[in-house]
Amino acid sequence: SSHYYPPEVPALPSFNLQKKVAEVIDRHGREYYTGTVYSTNRRVWEHDEKFKEYLSLVRAIGIDMETSTIFLVGFANHIPKGALLLVTDSPMLPEGIKTEETDREVIQEYAELHLRIGVEALRELKRTGESVKHLRF
């Protein structure tokens, strides 16, 4: 059977916002990854091998189910946007699927620092007055 995957909408984060977040993460001595994150509202996609092949084809480094609306509305209205995602699982690997216990462990260990990094980056951008606008499509 053929699968339909909707056309992608460019959801490029503001470069200065991304740069500032990276600086703050570095100051906190943490690692981070950047790349294409595929946003979807699709549940239980982990068992669809064709969809997983598609994710590899578009070189997605992650799946996000919460921020696609923010990026879509921001793109349509020329609003600067960005997302600092806290990875809670690795569902492309059978052993990486999230459980209640692993989710609780990740949130307990990282959620407060994650939020602090985001707020700190935004405060620094506000203080310096750096633009977070970028190219329009």
Side-chain angles (χ1 to χ4, degrees), residues 20 31 45 51 54 57 67 71 121 131:
K20 187 58 68 181
E31 291 186 36
W45 58 264
F51 183 64
Y54 175 75
L57 180 70
T67 58
F71 275 89
S131 172

Side-chain angles (χ1 to χ4, degrees), residues 73-92:
V73 171
F75 178 77
N77 293 289
H78 308 287
I79 298 169
K81 66 256 173 223
L84 177 59
L85 303 176
L86 177 58
V87 177
T88 57
D89 59 343
S90 302
M92 293 287 272

Side-chain angles (χ1 to χ4, degrees), residues 29-90:
R30 300 296 178 149
E31 291 186 36
Y32 62 92
Y33 300 91
T34 61
T36 301
V37 174
Y38 190 93
S39 291
T40 183
N41 63 354
R42 192 167 170 211
R43 305 298 265 162
V44 198
W45 58 264
E46 300 91 339
H47 305 289
D48 181 342
E49 293 305 316
K50 288 274 191 203
F51 183 64
K52 288 168 65 173
E53 287 174 21
Y54 175 75
L55 293 174
S56 293
L57 180 70
V58 297
R59 300 178 189 251
I61 66 163
I63 297 285
D64 169 65
M65 299 182 75
E66 291 81 24
T67 58
S68 59
T69 301
I70 293 168
F71 275 89
L72 181 63
V73 171
F75 178 77
N77 293 289
H78 308 287
I79 298 169
K81 66 256 173 223
L84 177 59
L85 303 176
L86 177 58
V87 177
T88 57
D89 59 343
S90 302

Side-chain angles (χ1 to χ4, degrees), residues 1 9 22 24 36-37 56-57 59 64 83 106-108 122 127-128 131 135:
S1 77
V9 173
V24 174
T36 301
V37 174
S56 293
L57 180 70
R59 300 178 189 251
D64 169 65
V106 169
I107 297 301
Q108 186 175 8
L122 291 173
R127 181 179 50 76
T128 62
S131 172
L135 297 176

Side-chain angles (χ1 to χ4, degrees), residues 18-34 84-87 105-118 120:
Q18 185 172 338
K19 181 178 76 169
K20 187 58 68 181
V21 168
E23 290 170 5
V24 174
I25 291 171
D26 283 341
R27 273 203 312 266
H28 283 270
R30 300 296 178 149
E31 291 186 36
Y32 62 92
Y33 300 91
T34 61
L84 177 59
L85 303 176
L86 177 58
V87 177
E105 289 171 3
V106 169
I107 297 301
Q108 186 175 8
E109 171 117 10
Y110 300 106
E112 185 180 334
L113 176 61
H114 188 82
L115 185 58
R116 192 175 319 133
I117 287 170
E120 192 175 319

